[in-house]
Amino acid sequence: MGTDTVRAGSADEAAERRREQRGWYFYDWACSVYSTSVLTVFLGPYLTSVAKNAADADGYVHPLGIPVRAGSFFAYSVSLSVIVAVLVMPLVGAAADRGGRKKPLLAAAAYTGAAATTGMFFLGGDRYLLGGVLLVVANAAQSVGTMLYNSYLPQIAPPEERDAVSSKGWAFGYTAGALVLVANLVLYMGHASFGLSESAAVRICLASAGLWWGAFTLIPLRRLRDRRSAAEETREPTAPGFRQLAATVRDMRRHPLTLAFLLAYLIYNDGIQTVISQASVYGSEELGLGQSTLIAAVLLVQVLAVAGALALGRIARAHGAKRTILGSLVAWAVILAAGFFLPAGAPVWFFVLASGIGLVLGGSQALSRSLFSHLVPPGKEAEYFSAYEMSDRGMSWLGPLLFGITYQLTGSYRDAIISLVAFFVIGFALLARVPVRQAISDAGNPVPERI
């Protein structure tokens, strides 16, 4: 009787855990549409055109009296959003850990971002400043929401399930991004047949991402549970912005192997983010490919990233997350080397390259997240994931800088793209040196059978 009761309790706990995990997946489903349709495809060109409408005769706009070239306004707005996120994430992460109530903070971040994105419907004429404000708010809110979302992973998945759960989350996100992007492209390409101007079609695409984000966030908010943490008992005051970040870094110094992994991740993820952001430039400027080809390649990456995330998750179950990530870094280096030799004006080979990127993109990111989750001391999940998220978003500037300098010195985008191999080689070397089993043990977590 006692044994049956224990088994029933275990079965109930497993069922509740699966329900919570399914709810967790849906936050990726909700917010990834913003990254794909808004940030990657539509907002940059559209906000730039709005800024140019408002520019003076010399091509400058003047937000707060500061002269800014209209063509740079979008990039500067993205940079400002990163600064805001860097200030806010450590503060929110520490508050989430100490208060034990992540869900209200996740809701606040998600609906702030969703509202700002939906408000992009009103970006018409010369309202570039409104667009910049909404972009800063939406982008910073997405960073904060993603940090809180990631910090749930160690709480909803035991060590042996974490790689699979993280991979499914990424797969959900890429699936949603592809589905909504297809619908948006149908509307955009056929806007005249729908009786819409091109501007109206873009504004509907932008706003629809915000509505999607807000609607599907309801699912994780209903299913995720708040948990009291050991950090809550200390009731230490939360310091502002950079002071809290400094406190987090000081705490991480007590776990040098966790910091060693984070450094490796910072390097190779910088390479990944640079490939994502500069691939379209390489395709258009060096290979002479048209906009329709580049958009189709983005869609292909989204679709194959789903399969790639799930496939690498299965490989990790057999061979361990660290070995699988190392293998993916080798694949990234090979893909870039192949990209150097792509012939101009040959979209088929560009699609082959995009296929390779898609297959390793989701898996390398998903497994990095799950591996880091093992290295976080219990009760410090949100605080540590704020540092992780900042390395993901706030520190990815070295790659674009190297890409730009290489092009400036050589005049060749081929040389610029091959220079990024260095990030994967260095990242591979740094990660290979991290004894992850010892790192997990030092963090106070159980060591999985395969890692």
Side-chain angles (χ1 to χ4, degrees):
M1 186 70 175
T3 302
D4 292 340
T5 301
V6 169
R7 288 176 178 170
S10 299
D12 289 342
E13 289 176 6
E16 176 60 27
R17 187 171 70 247
R18 296 284 185 271
R19 182 178 185 276
E20 198 169 4
Q21 288 170 1
R22 287 192 291 270
W24 184 80
Y25 301 148
F26 268 96
Y27 189 71
D28 227 327
W29 175 275
C31 75
S32 291
V33 169
Y34 168 83
S35 298
T36 305
S37 288
V38 177
L39 209 56
T40 302
V41 177
F42 288 108
L43 185 59
Y46 184 70
L47 183 55
T48 299
S49 70
V50 172
K52 287 180 177 179
N53 288 340
D56 59 23
D58 296 322
Y60 285 85
V61 291
H62 299 269
L64 305 178
I66 303 170
V68 174
R69 193 175 292 277
S72 300
F73 183 72
F74 173 73
Y76 288 148
S77 298
V78 172
S79 296
L80 179 58
S81 74
V82 170
I83 294 172
V84 173
V86 166
L87 286 169
V88 174
M89 277 194 291
L91 180 66
V92 175
D97 286 332
R98 293 194 172 101
R101 290 179 58 79
K102 295 177 187 175
K103 200 155 63 167
L105 294 170
L106 177 61
Y111 285 106
T112 297
T117 306
T118 305
M120 292 176 185
F121 178 79
F122 300 102
L123 297 184
D126 59 357
R127 297 174 185 165
Y128 77 96
L129 195 54
L130 173 64
V133 170
L134 293 176
L135 169 57
V136 169
V137 172
N139 226 30
Q142 193 209 28
S143 295
V144 173
T146 301
M147 174 266 293
L148 292 166
Y149 160 74
N150 285 341
S151 71
Y152 272 101
L153 180 59
Q155 298 178 338
I156 65 171
E160 66 275 8
E161 294 181 4
R162 221 165 279 174
D163 292 340
V165 170
S166 183
S167 297
K168 286 179 183 177
W170 277 103
F172 263 60
Y174 280 116
T175 300
L179 289 174
V180 175
L181 185 56
V182 168
N184 286 340
L185 290 177
V186 168
L187 177 65
Y188 175 72
M189 301 299 287
H191 62 84
S193 61
F194 291 105
L196 298 170
S197 66
E198 182 177 347
S199 172
V202 171
R203 289 186 290 113
I204 290 172
C205 291
L206 294 172
S208 67
L211 294 173
W212 180 283
W213 188 355
F216 283 103
T217 294
L218 291 172
I219 299 175
L221 291 180
R222 285 179 62 87
R223 294 194 175 187
L224 291 172
R225 294 187 294 113
D226 280 328
R227 294 163 172 82
R228 293 176 64 87
S229 66
E232 182 182 359
E233 303 303 324
T234 65
R235 301 193 180 277
E236 297 172 6
T238 300
F242 282 124
R243 286 176 57 197
Q244 180 57 50
L245 174 60
T248 301
V249 171
R250 283 196 301 271
D251 186 76
M252 293 182 76
R253 289 173 61 185
R254 296 169 46 234
H255 303 282
L257 296 181
T258 300
L259 270 178
F261 170 82
L262 198 59
L263 176 61
Y265 174 75
L266 187 154
I267 298 296
Y268 69 73
N269 182 64
D270 200 349
I272 292 172
Q273 297 303 321
T274 306
V275 173
I276 294 171
S277 65
Q278 301 302 321
S280 60
V281 175
Y282 184 69
S284 60
E285 299 297 326
E286 185 68 36
L287 304 181
L289 302 176
Q291 186 68 22
S292 59
T293 299
L294 298 176
I295 292 175
V298 170
L299 264 176
L300 182 61
V301 168
Q302 291 291 121
V303 171
L304 290 178
V306 177
L310 296 176
L312 289 187
R314 290 184 177 181
I315 293 172
R317 285 202 295 273
H319 301 285
K322 179 182 174 180
R323 290 191 185 91
T324 307
I325 295 171
L326 290 172
S328 76
L329 298 182
V330 173
W332 275 108
V334 171
I335 288 168
L336 290 178
F340 179 85
F341 296 102
L342 282 188
V348 171
W349 288 109
F350 189 72
F351 287 141
V352 171
L353 188 74
S355 300
I357 290 174
L359 289 173
V360 296
L361 174 62
S364 55
Q365 292 176 317
L367 293 176
S368 297
R369 176 173 66 185
S370 63
L371 181 54
F372 182 72
S373 73
H374 292 285
L375 310 180
V376 177
K380 296 278 189 178
E381 291 85 4
E383 197 172 341
Y384 272 56
F385 267 107
S386 70
Y388 179 87
E389 189 67 15
M390 280 186 288
S391 68
D392 187 10
R393 299 178 188 272
M395 306 300 182
S396 296
W397 54 273
L398 279 173
L401 179 63
L402 177 62
F403 187 91
I405 290 174
T406 305
Y407 177 74
Q408 182 171 330
L409 294 176
T410 66
S412 169
Y413 282 107
R414 294 185 186 274
D415 292 339
I417 204 75
I418 200 67
S419 70
L420 300 180
V421 170
F423 288 91
F424 299 102
V425 172
I426 295 171
F428 181 99
L430 292 175
L431 178 59
R433 291 171 58 87
V434 178
V436 292
R437 288 185 172 276
Q438 183 183 339
I440 295 169
S441 178
D442 289 350
N445 292 317
V447 181
E449 183 180 346
R450 293 189 184 278
I451 192 67

